[in-house]
Amino acid sequence: MVATVLVFEGQGARAVPGDPPVDLTALPAAEAQVAIVRHQVARAEPWRAAGEHAVLGQSLGELAALVVAGSLELDDAVELARLRAELPGELLEPREWTMASLTRVRRRALDTAATGLDLWVIGHNGPADCVVVGAADHFAALAQRLRLDERTYRELPVPHPYHTPLMAPVAEALAVELAGMPVRDPVVPVVSPTGPRPVHDAADARAVLVDALVSPVAWSAALKDAAGRWPDARWRECGPSESLYRFVWKNDLTLDWAPA
């Protein structure tokens, strides 16, 4: 029985709650990503201890989800977060990238405006919501073509082209690191938005952590999949920004959703 679905967000958060709050934008990328993973795992602990839960993590949030599912040790997840942040700077050609969340932009209009530009749609969050990443000057051209403004897009503090084929060298290096880490079969149900697909065993867990670096995040499809699997579950969001709820109603879902 799945009584609760625990949900973990990606790396777009700008602060971690606390006294005082932690300004993630003032930290190096690796420290910010580690802070997000630690925060989400800690926030899920009371629900984890109670049992009868499933997990669903978005992008970076998959690390926290797999810790809570029993597949990864927290220390290993933290190390993977660090590598995920630092390896692109070591392995990729330097270039200025822009990642942005777009809202109220239909996919057909986006695809037309992106013609000839060096950018990718890397996240599908809803019928008119997505995340794109591209060379900074090419994104500026896209913004001009679509007449984007503060109501229709928000830049995310992400310095590398995550979830694109350009991350293949990073994915290969991460796979080598994962090979030396203990990864176990999850003890609770896991749905990955990489695909989306369920994570049944340790091999699946290793695969999604690598594939997620080079594949789009199918968040809309993963939400609908999980909602169909566990129609009577309550949903509790563990992320620092508590921003994922908006994709529930944007995907015409009705879920018992609240902060963890």
Side-chain angles (χ1 to χ4, degrees):
M1 174 184 175
V2 170
T4 307
V5 181
L6 299 174
V7 188
F8 305 86
E9 71 179 67
Q11 62 195 53
R14 295 179 176 273
V16 167
D19 187 16
V22 178
D23 180 3
L24 296 176
T25 65
L27 298 178
E31 292 183 27
Q33 293 193 31
V34 165
I36 291 171
V37 171
R38 288 191 181 279
H39 171 83
Q40 298 197 97
V41 170
R43 195 162 171 177
E45 190 57 35
W47 300 92
R48 181 184 185 185
E52 298 182 344
H53 61 275
V55 298
L56 175 60
Q58 185 189 59
S59 187
L60 177 68
E62 290 211 76
L63 290 172
L66 289 171
V67 172
V68 174
S71 286
L72 285 177
E73 294 293 334
L74 177 57
D75 286 347
D76 290 333
V78 164
E79 176 64 6
L80 290 170
R82 183 188 68 78
L83 291 168
R84 192 177 180 276
E86 293 180 352
L87 285 174
E90 300 172 9
L91 299 177
L92 304 183
E93 291 293 327
R95 192 169 184 182
E96 185 179 356
W97 298 97
T98 296
M99 183 182 290
S101 174
L102 309 187
T103 187
R104 295 190 292 278
V105 178
R106 292 286 174 181
R107 182 61 189 266
R108 181 178 295 180
L110 173 58
D111 288 344
T112 299
T115 301
L117 299 180
D118 191 8
L119 55 81
W120 293 262
V121 178
I122 62 159
H124 301 271
N125 294 330
D129 286 79
C130 64
V131 178
V132 302
V133 65
D137 54 339
H138 288 234
F139 179 81
L142 178 78
Q144 185 174 31
R145 291 177 184 179
L146 289 173
R147 298 181 180 178
L148 298 178
D149 58 31
E150 66 276 1
R151 298 169 299 171
T152 53
Y153 89 100
R154 176 173 64 93
E155 289 193 26
L156 304 175
V158 181
H160 302 296
Y162 291 96
H163 310 296
T164 75
L166 297 181
M167 292 289 286
V170 178
E172 292 170 7
L174 199 75
V176 172
E177 296 293 333
L178 265 170
M181 293 180 177
V183 180
R184 296 175 293 275
D185 296 347
V187 297
V188 299
V190 181
V191 171
S192 168
T194 302
R197 61 191 194 248
V199 176
H200 295 296
D201 53 31
D204 289 344
R206 292 180 187 275
V208 297
L209 288 172
V210 175
D211 293 347
L213 288 170
V214 296
S215 305
V217 180
W219 189 245
S220 176
L223 276 177
K224 292 176 181 178
D225 181 358
R229 289 173 186 268
W230 309 300
D232 299 321
R234 60 196 171 201
W235 292 62
R236 296 297 180 261
E237 185 170 351
C238 301
S241 70
E242 300 176 4
S243 61
L244 296 176
Y245 175 64
R246 65 184 185 272
F247 299 125
V248 174
W249 54 267
K250 286 184 177 183
N251 284 285
D252 294 322
L253 295 171
T254 302
L255 301 173
D256 174 4
W257 190 291

